[in-house]
C-alpha cells in the first residue's frame, strides 16, 4: 500500500504543479499579481521547474515597478532577485536569466538609488553577453545601465559594440539617437534616427524623434 501511495504522489505532484502554474499565468494576464505569486509558489512546492522560478521572479519585478511604496519596492525587487538566482542555480548558462536578473537589479538601482545594484546589473548583463555574444537586448540593457549610472562614454561604446554585431538593429540605432539627443548632440541624433527610417520607414519612434528635432530648429 505504501509503495502504491508513494507512486500516486509522484504521479500527481507534477500534474498539480502544472495546474497551479497555469492558474498563475492566468492571474498574470488579469494583472492579479498577488494571486499569481501564490499560485507559482504552490507550483514550486510540487516541482522545482526553471520556468516557475522565472515566472515568479518576473511577477515580483512587475510588483516592484508598479508599487509607489519604497519599502514594498525594495521587498518585491529583492524577491525577484532571489528567484532569478534560484533559476540560475538550475540553469547556470542561461543568458536570458542573467539578462532578466540584471533588469531587476537595474530597476532596484534606479528606484532605490543604490549604486551597488547598478554594478550588479552591469555584471549580469555582461554575463549574458559572454554566454550569447549576439544577444542585442543584453547590449541595450548594459548601455542603459551605464547611462543611468552616469557612464555615458561606456554607454555609447556598448551601443557601438552592439551595432558591430547587428548593424541593422533599429532598437540600437534609435537608442543611440536618443542618447545623443539627451546629451544635446542633435546632429548625431538626427543621423541615427534617419538611419532607423532607412531600415524601417514606418518606425514611429524615429519619426517622433525627428519631429522633435524639427520643432527645435
Amino acid at each position: 500500500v505504501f509503495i502504491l501511495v508513494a507512486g500516486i504522489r509522484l504521479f500527481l505532484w507534477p500534474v498539480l504543479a502544472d495546474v497551479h502554474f497555469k492558474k498563475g499565468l492566468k492571474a498574470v494576464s488579469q494583472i492579479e499579481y498577488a494571486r499569481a505569486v501564490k499560485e507559482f509558489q504552490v507550483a514550486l512546492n510540487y516541482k522545482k521547474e526553471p520556468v516557475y522560478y522565472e515566472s515568479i521572479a518576473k511577477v515580483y519585478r512587475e510588483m516592484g515597478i508598479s508599487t509607489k511604496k519604497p519599502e514594498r519596492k525594495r521587498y518585491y525587487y529583492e524577491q525577484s532577485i532571489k528567484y532569478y538566482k534560484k533559476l540560475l542555480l538550475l540553469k547556470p548558462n542561461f543568458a536570458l536569466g542573467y539578462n532578466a536578473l540584471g533588469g531587476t537589479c537595474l530597476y532596484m538601482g534606479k528606484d532605490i538609488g543604490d549604486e551597488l545594484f547598478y554594478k550588479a546589473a552591469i555584471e549580469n548583463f555582461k554575463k549574458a553577453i559572454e554566454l550569447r555574444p549576439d544577444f542585442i537586448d543584453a547590449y541595450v540593457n548594459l548601455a542603459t545601465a551605464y547611462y543611468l549610472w552616469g557612464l555615458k562614454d561606456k554607454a555609447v561604446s556598448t551601443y557601438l559594440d552592439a551595432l558591430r554585431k547587428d548593424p541593422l538593429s533599429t532598437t540600437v540605432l534609435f537608442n543611440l539617437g536618443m542618447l545623443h539627443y539627451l546629451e544635446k548632440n542633435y546632429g548625431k541624433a538626427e543621423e541615427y534616427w534617419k538611419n532607423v527610417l532607412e531600415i524601417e520607414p514606418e518606425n514611429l519612434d524615429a519619426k517622433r524623434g525627428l519631429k522633435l528635432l524639427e520643432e527645435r530648429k
Side-chain angles (χ1 to χ4, degrees), residues 144-159:
T144 301
Y146 278 137
Y147 188 77
L148 290 176
W149 200 21
L151 303 174
K152 297 166 187 175
D153 290 342
K154 281 184 175 289
V156 171
S157 65
T158 300
Y159 280 130

Side-chain angles (χ1 to χ4, degrees), residues 2-213:
F2 173 78
I3 295 174
L4 178 60
V5 171
I8 290 172
R9 286 175 179 170
L10 289 172
F11 172 75
L12 284 177
W13 283 355
V15 174
L16 290 171
D18 189 54
V19 167
H20 285 285
F21 177 63
K22 287 178 179 176
K23 286 182 178 180
L25 293 178
K26 184 176 180 181
V28 171
S29 70
Q30 296 170 341
I31 320 179
E32 296 179 6
Y33 293 141
R35 183 161 67 88
V37 163
K38 289 180 181 177
E39 295 294 348
F40 291 145
Q41 286 173 335
V42 173
L44 281 166
N45 286 337
Y46 288 116
K47 189 178 180 184
K48 309 302 182 189
E49 190 72 28
V51 69
Y52 299 172
Y53 286 113
E54 186 176 8
S55 297
I56 195 170
K58 284 180 182 177
V59 171
Y60 270 124
R61 182 170 64 200
E62 287 303 315
M63 293 171 81
I65 293 168
S66 60
T67 186
K68 302 297 184 184
K69 299 177 180 178
E71 70 280 3
R72 299 309 294 170
K73 274 187 182 295
R74 178 177 284 277
Y75 171 76
Y76 292 141
Y77 288 146
E78 286 174 347
Q79 290 299 304
S80 177
I81 288 168
K82 179 181 81 172
Y83 282 104
Y84 275 128
K85 285 182 175 179
K86 288 187 176 185
L87 164 66
L88 290 167
L89 286 175
L90 295 177
K91 299 180 69 175
N93 295 317
F94 188 36
L96 287 169
Y98 284 102
N99 185 56
L101 173 56
T104 298
C105 291
L106 183 56
Y107 274 110
M108 186 88 157
K110 181 175 69 71
D111 290 350
I112 306 299
D114 191 333
E115 71 172 26
L116 290 176
F117 288 97
Y118 280 115
K119 292 179 181 178
I122 287 166
E123 290 308 309
N124 281 293
F125 294 141
K126 283 182 175 179
K127 181 66 176 178
I129 291 168
E130 177 188 326
L131 290 167
R132 271 184 53 187
D134 61 344
F135 194 174
I136 297 301
D137 285 352
Y139 282 100
V140 170
N141 290 336
L142 177 59
T144 301
Y146 278 137
Y147 188 77
L148 290 176
W149 200 21
L151 303 174
K152 297 166 187 175
D153 290 342
K154 281 184 175 289
V156 171
S157 65
T158 300
Y159 280 130
L160 294 176
D161 286 342
L163 280 181
R164 281 187 277 274
K165 294 292 181 183
D166 183 1
L168 300 180
S169 173
T170 53
T171 299
V172 175
L173 289 166
F174 174 79
N175 282 6
L176 258 173
M178 181 56 72
L179 187 155
H180 284 293
Y181 178 83
L182 293 172
E183 294 302 305
K184 297 182 170 52
N185 299 325
Y186 300 124
K188 276 288 188 182
E190 182 177 20
E191 176 186 336
Y192 282 116
W193 287 339
K194 284 182 176 178
N195 287 343
V196 171
L197 292 179
E198 287 173 7
I199 299 165
E200 194 178 300
E202 298 306 314
N203 188 289
L204 292 178
D205 289 328
K207 286 183 176 181
R208 290 190 189 103
L210 289 171
K211 186 177 180 181
L212 281 175
L213 290 174

